[in-house]
Amino acid sequence: MITNSSITVLVVDDDEMIRECVAAYLEDEGFTVFTAESSEKGLESVTSVHPHVCITDMRLPGINGDQFIIRAHQLYSGTRYLLHTGMLYSLSDELRLIGMTADDVLLKPIHDLSKLVARIRYLATDGGHHAVG
Amino acid sequence: MQSHAAELFFKSESSYRMLVESSSDIIYSRDKAGCFTYVSPAWTKNLGQLPSQVIGHTIGEFVHPEDQPACRKLLDGAVQVGQTGEYTFRFRQLDGTWRWHISRETPHIDGNGVMAVVGIAHDVTERHRIQSIMALTEKMVMVSGLAAGMAHEINNPLGAIMQHAQNIERRVSMDIPANVQAAEEVGVDLSLVRDYLEKRSIFSFIGHIRGAGVRASEIISQMLSFSSRGETGIATVDLSKLLDKVVVLAATDYEMKKQYGFRTLEIVREFAAEPLYADIASPEIERVLLNLMKNAAQAMAAPEMTREPRLTLRTRADEGMVVIEIEDSGPGMDETTCLRVFEPFYTTREVGNGAGLGLSVAYNVITGMHRGYIEVSSRPGEGSCFTIKLPVRGTL
């Protein structure tokens, strides 16, 4: 049984309210959580931290969340992604190619963060490209 | 010589008569009291009443009550000031429906020196209908854009409210060792803190915050659907089967069953003899139809309902389009309500009985997503009929 503490999660969102409350919840659930307030900082964290799962907002200053995922995946391919978006969003072919499915698109606002926990665990374990070691 | 002059006179008289009598516009004269002294045959053709039913009566008897002040002003302007005036108003047809006319009245002094007015009324009902549709479309584009933009901006703070409420619940949970430890560090017993919060209903307040957030987010997601294009893709669907499916859905809906007695409604199906197919986003159209049936059932459950509740469902083909009609025998709506029913947040229901978004979502699904049309015709006391037209070969 893999414990949550062995799973590293990166939360990328420019909205401090959202970033902090998602991070606080995930920390309480025992995950190791990092945060980034921009796509640039997010790219740095992906390369330095190698998170198992990254939750990114769609609307980020600079590049959008979907473009951020594509760039981050080029830098390090071991991270799985969840895209947090306010609008209905169809996954692009590029995102499907790196293994994302419709279940990885989280429609705002998330009513119940416990569902996020299940998805993160799934991605970081058997649903992910690599198992947590 | 005399007979030639008479012949010319009669010839010109008959030419003028021919001009007046064959005009598709209504030509009329009124005396200064406003009573009709002449109406051309177009009146009977366009509106139904015979000249004998019109001549000697005032124009007010045939004009929509809302248009009467302007109609009187037109007459006063012609009789008192001698000015020509123009105004658009509604004339009543024999069957009680209204036809929009643009009428131009000119003052005229007859052979006896008596002041009168001569008028020409042109039927502009169709033009008026198209203008109303265009005005509604423009309004909907603007309001829907605004609603979607607002919804988007509200999403983040709303998410933060709900998620922080959840975090507060978690931070006083005994299940998280960090909570117990932090409580110990400040010298309190977490289980006693929980007892206090329970005693003062604070957990229930937090539950309410989350519940209210969920309700608000449901409204937000409907508002966002104004600007979305549907994610489901299109399929070829048999419309009669689709309507039957929605009737089954409606019959199992709790609200429909308990509050509006949907199962006791008489449902009349007037479907086209041959199956009618259309390429549509089926789940979206199902939601629209369910919503229309819900509104119909709700209208027919109204206390002022005097007739037997009956829901009539029709399908037919019409010039490359398929038509679905949902008609109820409810109390109907006045003209102002008909014009505004598709506006977001417009509702005649009491506060708390729905946000007034159902029909604007329907409008967006039909016109925006499917390039179709949706219209309503209704009159107080005579039920309402929603007509949906969809392209047979639809694309999203």
Side-chain angles (χ1 to χ4, degrees), chain A residues 28 110 116:
Chain A
D28 284 352
I110 301 174
L116 191 58

Side-chain angles (χ1 to χ4, degrees), chain A residues 28-29 59 90 108 111-112, chain B residues 152 156 166 170 217 231:
Chain A
D28 284 352
E29 288 293 323
R59 282 215 303 199
S90 283
K108 286 184 187 180
H111 297 179
D112 184 356
Chain B
H152 199 83
N156 269 2
Q166 197 174 7
R170 298 285 292 146
S217 78
E231 292 288 288

Side-chain angles (χ1 to χ4, degrees), chain B residues 126-172:
Chain B
E126 188 55 21
R127 193 200 302 170
H128 196 269
R129 194 182 70 91
I130 290 166
Q131 277 171 349
S132 314
I133 292 173
M134 281 168 64
L136 177 69
T137 310
E138 260 174 48
K139 197 155 135 189
M140 287 297 292
V141 167
M142 198 189 80
V143 178
S144 302
L146 185 73
M150 263 177 58
H152 199 83
E153 291 307 318
I154 290 170
N155 252 334
N156 269 2
L158 185 61
I161 290 169
M162 284 194 287
Q163 291 154 18
H164 276 307
Q166 197 174 7
N167 277 339
I168 293 169
E169 281 175 345
R170 298 285 292 146
R171 289 270 157 119
V172 287

Side-chain angles (χ1 to χ4, degrees), chain B residues 236-241 274-280 321-322 390-393:
Chain B
T236 305
V237 174
D238 179 340
L239 295 184
S240 320
K241 283 196 182 143
E274 296 292 316
L276 283 181
Y277 295 96
D279 300 337
I280 54 172
M321 301 196 87
V322 287
L390 294 166
V392 176
R393 295 269 156 260

